[in-house]
């Protein structure tokens, strides 16, 4: 039972934290997850990003479009496949992601 309670507290803290990040950045949870994957693992193809965010191709396209419009990501030509693009984090997105957000303040 202690593990269950600990998990529930962690889940509540993560929800509160993600809500604070969302309010700060004006991004949805899916956009935050996508931006973090691009920042930590990118650049990625849209298909790779789709798998990581667990959203279909149409939803991924919409997420990338919104991240681009908001200045958090950009599409660039794939260096070896002219039919494909890569999505990468841009400096503004990097700066926002690195901004300290104290978890204990969010909880």
């Amino acid at each position: 039972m202690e593990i269950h309670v600990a998990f529930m507290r962690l889940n509540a803290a993560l929800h509160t934290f993600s809500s604070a990040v969302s309010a700060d950045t004006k991004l949805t949870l899916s956009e935050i997850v996508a931006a973090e994957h691009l920042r930590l693992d990118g650049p990625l193809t849209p298909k790779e990003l789709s798998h990581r965010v667990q959203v279909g191709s149409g939803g991924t396209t919409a997420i990338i479009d919104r991240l681009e419009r908001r200045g958090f990501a950009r599409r660039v030509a794939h260096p070896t496949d002219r039919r494909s693009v890569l999505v990468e984090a841009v400096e503004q997105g990097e700066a926002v992601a690195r901004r300290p957000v104290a978890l204990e303040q969010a909880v």
Side-chain angles (χ1 to χ4, degrees), residues 49-72:
L49 188 60
S50 176
H51 287 289
R52 292 174 191 226
V53 180
Q54 298 182 349
V55 175
S57 62
T60 301
T61 298
I63 288 170
I64 295 168
D65 288 345
R66 289 191 301 269
L67 289 175
E68 272 192 313
R69 275 196 308 272
R70 312 276 311 284
F72 287 91

Side-chain angles (χ1 to χ4, degrees), residues 3-14:
I3 292 174
H4 176 72
V5 171
F7 179 75
M8 295 302 290
R9 286 184 179 156
L10 175 61
N11 189 40
L14 288 173

